[in-house]
Amino acid sequence: MTNRVISFLILCLFVWLIWSNSGKKPNLPKTEDFISTVQEINPSDSLTKAIIGIQPYMVLEDYLTKEQFKDKIGKYILRAQEEGLIKDNTILLFPEYLGTWLVIAGEKRSLAKEETLEKALRKMVLSNFFKFIWNWLRAGKEKDKAAAAIFRMKSQSMAKSYYYTFSELAKESNTYIAAGSIILPEPSVQDGNLKVNVSGPLYNASFIFGPDGKIIGGPILKAFPIESELPFVNAGKVSEIPVFDLPFAKTSLLICADSWFPEAYKSIDSKGAEILLVPSYCTGNGTMAKSWKGYSGQAAPKETNLGDINSITEAQAWEKYALPGQLSKTNIQVGMNVFLRGALWDLGADGQPLVYFQGNLIPVSHAEKAGIWSLNF
């Protein structure tokens, strides 16, 4: 065999290797590799209702397409099904901001490789320069016009991916889903479908999906945006936080910081809420073990012991001033709080579930990354 033939065969092999690998998905860790805890908190054959809190561990590649996002979230639900946790009257609770990072859907894969959020957003602006400028020019009163412009220019694709994922998963699992939260401009619900007004004010919003795949009622809007949100996120009204009359219980949802304010509890308690769901996101690795810095961007309620600031840990403050401490002052007997975890640029994340049942904070097993907890009631 001549050298020329050998060279040609080597070239053919090289071209084939490139072609055969060009369409392959990146070798990402499997969802099950992240799940370190699956716990049925109070096993009982006589209790027929359940809240299943899911603490996903998200990586940026999970958000690049709606198919990848749905696949990742669906695997957690599948694991809950395989463990026999999903009953006829079940609601799945996902954390705050779970849908927000769909802002990178449709972008180049290199965006997920950036080291910091700032660098990633800068690259996104350059890739969508004219759309960004158009949305920046028509920004409202937001102080951070750049952030507002980015979320507005991606809002329609974000809403479609978010709705597609949780609508399909609710139908596939035949259950209710409290679908974390997502930043969108003036979100609304029409005939069970999610709509956005691209020119409207931005909100941190959550939605509850029914087994038919439709959104139940209207959006739940965060009433107490934190310091990092205030430059571009508007506040919803405490009086308008809804209580949903679901088949298994009157259910309400407070987005993260809202669960720290007594007026939010008074509002939902007066509307007859029986269970409370709290999706949360606490940035920074190891934050829960650090000193509590007080209320972020908001005045502390008068009931707050200001001496606790810088004296107790963030985790102790969550137990004292958020869901466990507040529910004891209401008629609500069941509550759960879950946190978003993951490797999301340089943001970091911390938090473990808080579970409240019949007047008590229930101890739960912690998860290093992802976890699933089922509370029967």
Side-chain angles (χ1 to χ4, degrees):
M1 188 178 292
T2 66
N3 290 337
R4 182 176 295 181
V5 173
I6 293 173
S7 297
F8 176 74
L9 290 175
I10 292 174
L11 177 62
C12 290
L13 177 61
F14 179 70
V15 171
W16 178 81
L17 287 172
I18 293 175
W19 175 82
S20 63
N21 285 282
S22 62
K24 289 185 178 180
K25 295 181 179 179
N27 187 23
L28 300 176
K30 297 178 180 179
T31 304
E32 52 267 31
D33 294 339
F34 291 137
I35 300 175
S36 57
T37 298
V38 178
Q39 181 184 7
E40 189 171 18
I41 297 170
N42 54 342
S44 174
D45 292 333
S46 62
L47 299 175
T48 59
K49 309 170 186 177
I51 303 171
I52 298 178
I54 296 179
Q55 174 180 293
Y57 188 88
M58 304 298 290
V59 296
L60 292 165
E61 286 82 359
D62 296 328
Y63 289 101
L64 291 174
T65 70
K66 68 179 183 180
E67 290 79 15
Q68 285 173 268
F69 183 63
K70 176 180 179 289
D71 181 66
K72 180 66 173 283
I73 302 303
K75 286 177 180 176
Y76 289 112
I77 297 176
L78 178 61
R79 180 65 181 274
Q81 289 176 314
E82 291 172 345
E83 296 286 341
L85 300 178
I86 296 181
K87 304 174 183 292
D88 290 337
N89 294 304
T90 294
I91 188 162
L92 306 175
L93 171 61
F94 286 94
E96 183 186 31
Y97 271 25
L98 181 60
T100 295
W101 303 118
L102 285 167
V103 72
I104 70 170
E107 298 296 325
K108 296 177 180 177
R109 190 167 297 279
S110 60
L111 197 72
K113 302 299 182 183
E114 292 294 340
E115 295 180 356
T116 67
L117 173 61
E118 182 180 355
K119 289 181 179 179
L121 294 182
R122 190 181 302 135
K123 178 175 283 189
M124 186 187 299
V125 168
L126 292 174
S127 298
N128 301 272
F129 185 72
F130 293 107
K131 289 182 180 179
F132 171 80
I133 292 298
W134 169 247
N135 283 279
W136 189 88
L137 290 173
R138 63 176 184 171
K141 298 179 180 179
E142 297 96 351
K143 292 182 180 179
D144 190 341
K145 293 185 183 299
I150 288 171
F151 280 110
R152 284 200 176 93
M153 76 178 186
K154 297 301 295 284
S155 62
Q156 291 180 319
S157 65
M158 289 172 68
K160 287 178 181 177
S161 296
Y162 176 87
Y163 182 84
Y164 164 79
T165 293
F166 291 106
S167 176
E168 290 299 308
L169 291 176
K171 288 186 288 187
E172 290 172 13
S173 60
N174 191 36
T175 192
Y176 295 83
I177 299 179
S181 81
I182 181 172
I183 291 179
L184 291 172
E186 198 171 346
S188 61
V189 179
Q190 298 177 18
D191 298 322
N193 297 301
L194 176 57
K195 304 293 182 181
V196 295
N197 174 11
V198 177
S199 300
L202 290 159
Y203 292 95
N204 186 351
S206 187
F207 303 84
I208 293 180
F209 289 76
D212 61 354
K214 299 293 186 180
I215 296 174
I216 298 171
I220 306 133
L221 306 179
K222 190 173 186 177
F224 296 95
I226 62 173
E227 187 174 9
S228 61
E229 296 173 313
L230 285 170
F232 61 98
V233 172
N234 285 260
K237 296 180 179 179
V238 173
S239 60
E240 294 180 0
I241 297 174
V243 172
F244 301 89
D245 194 5
L246 303 183
F248 48 87
K250 289 189 174 181
T251 304
S252 192
L253 184 149
L254 300 178
I255 301 175
C256 198
D258 288 2
S259 68
W260 288 67
F261 291 88
E263 51 263 54
Y265 290 85
K266 291 176 183 176
S267 176
I268 63 173
D269 195 29
S270 67
K271 298 172 186 175
E274 297 171 289
I275 68 173
L276 175 63
L277 309 173
V278 179
S280 293
Y281 178 35
C282 180
T283 57
N285 296 325
T287 297
M288 287 294 175
K290 297 177 181 178
S291 296
W292 177 49
K293 301 303 180 183
Y295 285 74
S296 175
Q298 304 284 346
K302 62 181 181 180
E303 297 89 344
T304 307
N305 178 0
L306 299 181
D308 284 339
I309 298 175
N310 293 317
S311 297
I312 63 176
T313 66
E314 182 79 15
Q316 290 170 330
W318 275 91
E319 293 185 11
K320 183 174 182 178
Y321 292 112
L323 179 145
Q326 298 286 356
L327 280 185
S328 61
K329 305 169 188 175
T330 71
N331 294 312
I332 302 170
Q333 294 294 304
V334 183
M336 183 179 287
N337 188 165
V338 295
F339 293 83
L340 178 63
R341 302 296 296 274
L344 303 169
W345 293 294
D346 56 335
L347 296 178
D350 202 5
Q352 297 292 335
L354 295 170
V355 177
Y356 180 91
F357 186 58
Q358 296 182 344
N360 297 300
L361 177 64
I362 307 298
V364 299
S365 300
H366 284 193
E368 181 181 353
K369 290 185 176 179
I372 300 171
W373 296 264
S374 178
L375 173 65
N376 299 314
F377 65 100

